[in-house]
Amino acid sequence: KIITTLAGLESGKISPFTSFFCKGSFFLGAQEFSCWEPHGMQDLRLALMHSCNVYFYHVGLLVGPEILNKYARELGLGNPTNIDLLSESRGLVPSRLQKKIAKNESWYSGDTVNFSIGQGDILVTPLQMVELMSAVVNGATGIRPHLVKKIENKELAYSQPGAKLKIKPESLERVRSYLRSVVVDTTGTAHILDIADLSIAGKTGTVQVSKGKPHAWFVGFLPAKNPRLVFCVFLENGGSSYNACVVAKEMFMTMLAEKIL
């Protein structure tokens, strides 16, 4: 939904004041696409704050799959992060051509609807989501995550941040402020993380899968102004994203007690 937000703002298809009404589901022809609850009238800030599927279905259809694909790749999805591990998945950012080659099927509007909320064929790793959030925070790409700092006394050299994102700074700043609302607003999906001694911002995600409970996500950064830490809490088949927020809270409370933060 962060990608769909930026794609909508940057393409001029939506403004922060663009609003859609969520009655709990969305019909595309005879096909029904659900939201996790009826949200009523939502503008962009409220839609991110409440993680309203219906809002982003509308935006995805306005933007189209080509622009969604462009911004997903701009933010690092579909490519390995090149972390210093033996292997890494590159994930998958779907497109008309990719679907035709992989499945010999045409692209339909329902594919765009799924893409707009991170469902359907799209595949990402938790590390890619950390890279994406890092890009939103600092406006740069090419940040290579790494595990090894030095071997004996020899510091290892890692690439520095690469080219700036081709996204307006004001769009990124608006997204960052909205991600703070996800936590501080009493109706935000991550309000449990409104911790007095911290200033957390982020985005929840509850991802349906073919088998078992949904995956639970919370990806964020802190402090909200001048962030020093970007993180991802991912619970495979963990159910509601609320569960990922509970784990994040336990983690940060422990870090506070240990004076790590």
Side-chain angles (χ1 to χ4, degrees):
K1 292 172 184 171
I2 292 172
I3 290 167
T4 306
T5 294
L6 289 170
L9 290 173
E10 290 293 291
S11 65
K13 297 294 185 180
I14 63 168
S15 79
F17 310 106
T18 301
S19 299
F20 298 103
F21 189 84
C22 170
K23 58 182 181 180
S25 64
F26 173 87
F27 279 90
L28 188 65
Q31 182 68 42
E32 183 178 16
F33 295 85
S34 66
C35 194
W36 61 280
E37 71 174 26
H39 291 106
M41 189 62 72
Q42 302 281 284
D43 62 14
L44 181 56
R45 184 182 73 89
L46 291 174
L48 270 178
M49 199 169 77
H50 298 146
S51 200
C52 176
N53 290 348
V54 167
Y55 186 94
F56 290 100
Y57 295 153
H58 284 285
V59 177
L61 289 171
L62 284 174
V63 168
E66 289 79 14
I67 296 177
L68 289 175
N69 183 284
K70 171 188 172 183
Y71 283 95
R73 292 192 173 279
E74 175 83 359
L75 287 157
L77 301 187
N79 288 300
T81 66
N82 294 317
I83 192 171
D84 45 341
L85 292 172
L86 294 177
S87 63
E88 180 185 10
S89 172
R90 67 188 302 117
L92 175 66
V93 178
S95 68
R96 295 181 192 273
L97 180 60
Q98 173 273 324
K99 188 181 180 188
K100 192 68 176 177
I101 292 172
K103 300 181 178 181
N104 195 28
E105 293 177 1
S106 299
W107 185 276
Y108 298 101
S109 294
D111 296 313
T112 305
V113 166
N114 279 324
F115 192 176
S116 69
I117 64 163
Q119 296 281 85
D121 289 340
I122 190 166
L123 295 172
V124 301
T125 68
L127 191 60
Q128 286 175 325
M129 295 307 294
V130 169
E131 185 178 50
L132 181 153
M133 189 62 78
S134 181
V136 168
V137 165
N138 62 38
T141 57
I143 297 174
R144 180 183 171 190
H146 62 92
L147 299 174
V148 180
K149 182 177 181 181
K150 63 182 178 180
I151 298 175
E152 293 185 342
N153 293 323
K154 183 179 179 181
E155 294 276 348
L156 299 184
Y158 291 94
S159 58
Q160 296 301 308
K164 292 287 182 179
L165 291 175
K166 298 173 183 177
I167 297 174
K168 297 184 187 73
E170 53 266 35
S171 296
L172 293 170
E173 177 57 36
R174 191 174 296 279
V175 168
R176 290 192 292 266
S177 70
Y178 291 170
L179 295 180
R180 178 63 176 148
S181 295
V182 171
V183 176
V184 296
D185 194 282
T186 56
T187 63
T189 53
H191 183 59
I192 188 178
L193 286 166
D194 189 15
I195 301 168
D197 294 326
L198 297 175
S199 176
I200 300 172
K203 182 69 187 73
T204 56
T206 303
V207 181
Q208 293 177 336
V209 292
S210 58
K211 294 181 180 179
K213 293 181 180 180
H215 299 328
W217 293 79
F218 184 68
V219 185
F221 55 91
L222 66 97
K225 293 189 181 296
N226 302 314
R228 293 182 290 105
L229 178 67
V230 175
F231 61 87
C232 172
V233 176
F234 169 68
L235 306 180
E236 190 171 7
N237 301 123
S240 168
S241 61
Y242 178 83
N243 298 327
C245 293
V246 170
V247 171
K249 183 174 183 179
E250 294 258 344
M251 178 175 69
F252 290 129
M253 294 303 289
T254 300
M255 293 172 75
L256 274 176
E258 298 290 336
K259 296 182 170 39
I260 298 172
L261 291 176

